[in-house]
Amino acid sequence: MAIISELYHICQKNRMKLYTHNLTEDEKKLIAEINILKKEKNAVILVHNYQSPQILAVADYTGDSFALAVEAQKTTADIIVFCGVSFMAETAKILNPGKKVILPSIDAICPMAAMVDPDGLQHLKSQHPNAAVVAYVNTTAAVKALVDICCTSANAAKVVNSLDQSEIIFVPDKHLAAYVQTKTTKKIIPWEGYCYVHSKITLDRLKDAKNSHPNAEIISHPECPMEVLEASDYVLSTSGMIKRVQQSNSQEFIIGTECGMIEALKQVAPEKDFYTFGTICLQQKKNTLENVYEHLQNETQQVTIDQDIMDKARQSLEKMIAIGRNNEA
Ligand code: 13P
Ligand code: SF4
């Protein structure tokens, strides 16, 4: 219980409420105004699973990186408002370049995506000329333009195993790379990046949560350190977590990912109990109803990417989508 209450305070400090949030009258008014704007402008709002309950309330589609990339690729809307972090909005723009893509918060940048740069990657490639290069979708467009294929947490091992090469450079997440290594006979050459949120999820925290809730099923995200994954019952993408919770007969779940995820889980399974041993992703929480309204109204903060980079990065992303999700994800 100590950890859960500590996390609750961390989340409270950052204005994140854990499935206790009832929308205020002002929030309901703003949501109604955003819904009117969406119709007027033929806009769609794509929302990552970590977003706040207020943002979940204006979503047309909620999902993990893979599901949202697919939605972005096939949407017929004129405007995509992407409530997530910048690599997700860039992915939407690359896959559907004719659309206006708006990222409501300019500061919503995943720090892990900034850990690998094109020059560093070129250098690593020159040291392993026979290796294929796989980029987690949590990368910049410039890095995606340099790789053979992208992947998400929903299909990383499937992507790696689809390749002919026996050596695979995998960027930027060393934890996801280590997890993929357990699912393939190929040699994974990892970049040393990591997610600051998932890296703080430790085995001690997991054990503490399990002691408090011994009957709970433990579901963790593959960005967590390996010792946490080994102690978990399931390792899944964020949408994989939603699917598992819906299918499971368990009443209690300990969730090893960003703490806001339990908001999304509570929405699909309100009768079940969720405990988080993760911390908050401040970047994901930068989207607000106010900045969604402002930038949809003014059509500002549109994502722009160099044409040549977009065309190259699109090939890596389209190959990723063609591979599809892991069965359980
Ligand atoms: P998912 O694709 O599983 O939603 O993960 C994205 C992410 O950034 C996790 O930290
Ligand atoms: Fe990036 Fe980690 Fe936040 Fe996901 S949780 S967006 S990987 S910093």
Side-chain angles (χ1 to χ4, degrees):
M1 275 317 265
I3 283 173
I4 290 152
S5 104
E6 182 200 322
L7 284 167
Y8 183 78
H9 287 299
I10 292 169
C11 290
Q12 283 287 57
K13 217 173 95 195
N14 294 293
R15 296 193 177 77
M16 174 68 198
K17 294 177 185 166
L18 296 180
Y19 60 84
T20 54
H21 188 74
N22 293 318
L23 295 169
T24 65
E25 287 310 309
D26 282 352
E27 287 168 345
K28 284 183 195 162
K29 219 172 122 203
L30 203 44
I31 288 166
E33 286 172 18
I34 290 170
N35 286 334
I36 291 169
L37 266 187
K38 274 200 289 193
K39 276 205 185 109
E40 279 173 12
K41 290 177 176 274
N42 188 25
V44 67
I45 304 190
L46 304 186
V47 172
H48 186 259
N49 289 321
Y50 292 161
Q51 295 291 300
S52 66
Q54 294 90 329
I55 295 289
L56 291 172
V58 290
D60 292 295
Y61 298 96
T62 304
D64 64 7
S65 311
F66 189 89
L68 295 176
V70 172
E71 283 305 329
Q73 187 186 39
K74 69 180 189 203
T75 188
T76 54
D78 295 319
I79 299 178
I80 300 171
V81 178
F82 209 114
C83 295
V85 284
S86 60
F87 74 80
M88 297 176 181
E90 282 182 4
T91 295
K93 181 71 184 175
I94 293 164
L95 286 167
N96 207 337
K99 308 298 179 188
K100 293 175 183 169
V101 178
I102 292 170
L103 178 67
S105 171
I106 200 87
D107 300 328
I109 297 169
C110 166
M112 178 161 71
M115 285 180 189
V116 55
D117 62 296
D119 288 348
L121 179 56
Q122 289 285 28
H123 180 66
L124 188 61
K125 280 171 74 165
S126 71
Q127 291 175 320
H128 303 277
N130 298 323
V133 187
V134 177
Y136 191 27
V137 74
N138 300 41
T139 42
T140 60
V143 165
K144 288 183 177 81
L146 289 178
V147 305
D148 294 299
I149 186 166
C150 292
C151 71
T152 75
S153 58
N155 69 357
K158 198 173 178 189
V159 164
V160 163
N161 286 323
S162 75
L163 298 167
D164 292 335
Q165 291 86 339
S166 57
E167 285 192 338
I168 312 288
I169 294 173
F170 192 98
V171 299
D173 187 10
K174 64 179 177 182
H175 296 306
L176 181 59
Y179 177 64
V180 170
Q181 186 65 85
T182 68
K183 305 270 174 206
T184 185
T185 54
K186 296 173 190 286
K187 182 181 175 207
I188 304 291
I189 303 159
W191 192 265
E192 285 299 306
Y194 60 91
C195 162
Y196 80 100
V197 178
H198 290 84
S199 295
K200 283 186 213 140
I201 296 178
T202 62
L203 188 57
D204 282 349
R205 284 185 166 213
L206 184 155
K207 283 181 181 161
D208 192 358
K210 186 71 180 170
N211 282 340
S212 303
H213 306 284
N215 298 323
E217 204 172 279
I218 304 174
I219 311 177
S220 297
H221 194 274
E223 290 175 16
C224 294
M226 183 54 77
E227 56 183 8
V228 169
L229 302 184
E230 283 169 352
S232 301
D233 298 308
Y234 293 89
V235 177
L236 294 167
S237 74
T238 58
S239 287
M241 291 179 181
I242 289 178
K243 198 168 145 191
R244 173 65 206 155
V245 160
Q246 287 173 315
Q247 288 171 349
S248 171
N249 291 326
S250 300
Q251 172 61 31
E252 293 185 312
F253 299 85
I254 294 170
I255 302 297
T257 192
E258 204 270 343
C259 61
M261 183 65 208
I262 61 176
E263 292 282 359
L265 293 169
K266 198 70 191 169
Q267 290 201 351
V268 296
E271 74 293 355
K272 299 195 175 187
D273 298 312
F274 301 99
Y275 307 100
T276 174
F277 65 111
T279 56
I280 195 164
C281 175
L282 296 172
Q283 289 72 22
Q284 286 269 8
K285 299 299 186 293
K286 295 200 178 213
N287 300 301
T288 62
L289 289 177
E290 287 76 12
N291 60 31
V292 168
Y293 180 83
E294 179 190 341
H295 296 295
L296 178 55
Q297 164 82 312
N298 300 324
E299 299 187 17
T300 40
Q301 260 163 227
Q302 290 188 33
V303 174
T304 55
I305 306 168
D306 175 270
Q307 188 66 47
D308 185 44
I309 287 179
M310 270 217 288
D311 292 343
K312 288 182 182 142
R314 189 173 309 113
Q315 293 176 28
S316 315
L317 285 166
E318 285 178 348
K319 284 190 219 161
M320 169 190 92
I321 288 178
I323 297 285
R325 309 175 73 94
N326 290 339
N327 288 340
E328 73 282 9

